[in-house]
């Protein structure tokens, strides 16, 4: 896993790319916007969401999740438990913040269809968490760790 600041940035970019792709497509589908938005509008949504997610992960959620996860009493030498614990807290933090971002984006662009912001936010948290946790633990996390591990291993051999 990442050992330098540069590696942490690359790893974070890869993780954000995978999670934003899945979550954006899910939320566009869930809100019925897939057929209504052009490809350029979807790409613009992706870029904006990616930048926001990476900033939130790097500045706020990542440091807090690490602090909380590694303050818990578990065997830190067990890599699987450490990865699962950190991933869980990253997902919780990112879902809380990015669901708020999504609700606010929806509120200012299309409205909330008569629902309150609080109710919309609670619903978004539930829906997003149910997809984000398995996506992180079973799809994006393992793929990014495998690709990142191969890239880092190759770059250290050639260096």
């Amino acid at each position: 896993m990442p050992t330098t600041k540069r590696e942490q940035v690359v790893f974070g970019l890869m993780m954000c790319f995978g999670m934003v792709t899945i979550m954006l497509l899910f939320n566009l589908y869930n809100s019925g916007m897939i057929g209504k938005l052009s490809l350029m509008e979807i790409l613009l949504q992706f870029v904006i969401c990616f930048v926001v997610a990476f900033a939130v992960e790097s500045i706020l959620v990542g440091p807090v999740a690490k602090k909380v996860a590694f303050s818990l009493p578990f065997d830190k030498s067990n890599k699987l438990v450490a990865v699962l614990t950190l991933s869980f807290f990253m997902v919780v933090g990112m879902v809380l913040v990015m669901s708020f971002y999504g609700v606010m984006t929806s509120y200012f662009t299309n409205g909330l269809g008569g629902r309150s912001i609080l109710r919309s936010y609670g619903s978004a948290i539930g829906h997003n968490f149910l997809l984000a946790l398995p996506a992180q633990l079973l799809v994006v996390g393992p793929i990014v760790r495998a690709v990142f591990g191969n890239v880092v291993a190759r770059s250290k051999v050639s260096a």
Side-chain angles (χ1 to χ4, degrees), residues 9-73:
V9 170
V10 170
F11 185 81
L13 288 169
M14 292 170 68
M15 200 65 81
C16 277
F17 180 85
M19 289 302 293
V20 167
T21 300
I22 289 173
M23 298 307 295
L24 181 67
L25 290 174
F26 167 74
N27 282 301
L28 288 174
Y29 174 78
N30 203 29
S31 65
M33 296 303 290
I34 291 271
K36 295 178 182 174
L37 296 176
S38 70
L39 182 58
M40 288 308 292
E41 289 171 316
I42 291 173
L43 287 174
L44 179 62
Q45 288 283 332
F46 176 84
V47 169
I48 293 168
C49 190
F50 178 80
V51 169
V52 170
F54 184 70
V56 166
E57 186 273 333
S58 301
I59 297 167
L60 176 66
V61 173
V64 171
K66 287 175 187 169
K67 188 175 281 190
V68 171
F70 293 116
S71 70
L72 295 175

Side-chain angles (χ1 to χ4, degrees), residues 3-158:
T3 55
T4 67
K5 190 67 175 166
R6 182 176 182 269
E7 288 177 4
Q8 288 174 354
V9 170
V10 170
F11 185 81
L13 288 169
M14 292 170 68
M15 200 65 81
C16 277
F17 180 85
M19 289 302 293
V20 167
T21 300
I22 289 173
M23 298 307 295
L24 181 67
L25 290 174
F26 167 74
N27 282 301
L28 288 174
Y29 174 78
N30 203 29
S31 65
M33 296 303 290
I34 291 271
K36 295 178 182 174
L37 296 176
S38 70
L39 182 58
M40 288 308 292
E41 289 171 316
I42 291 173
L43 287 174
L44 179 62
Q45 288 283 332
F46 176 84
V47 169
I48 293 168
C49 190
F50 178 80
V51 169
V52 170
F54 184 70
V56 166
E57 186 273 333
S58 301
I59 297 167
L60 176 66
V61 173
V64 171
K66 287 175 187 169
K67 188 175 281 190
V68 171
F70 293 116
S71 70
L72 295 175
F74 68 89
D75 180 11
K76 306 317 184 265
S77 65
N78 185 332
K79 195 171 184 176
L80 178 62
V81 172
V83 165
L84 291 174
T85 303
L86 181 56
S87 293
F88 174 80
F89 285 106
M90 288 291 292
V91 167
V92 168
M94 290 302 288
V95 164
L96 291 173
V97 175
M98 294 307 291
S99 292
F100 182 75
Y101 165 82
V103 168
M104 291 293 93
T105 300
S106 185
Y107 176 75
F108 289 116
T109 57
N110 304 329
L112 299 175
R115 294 174 50 187
S116 72
I117 289 176
L118 192 56
R119 184 175 180 159
S120 296
Y121 180 57
S123 178
I125 289 170
H127 285 102
N128 289 333
F129 186 78
L130 288 174
L131 179 63
L133 189 61
Q136 174 56 233
L137 295 178
L138 302 174
V139 181
V140 177
I143 290 171
V144 168
R145 282 183 192 83
V147 171
F148 181 80
N150 287 334
V151 170
V152 169
R154 258 191 265 127
S155 70
K156 287 185 178 178
V157 167
S158 64

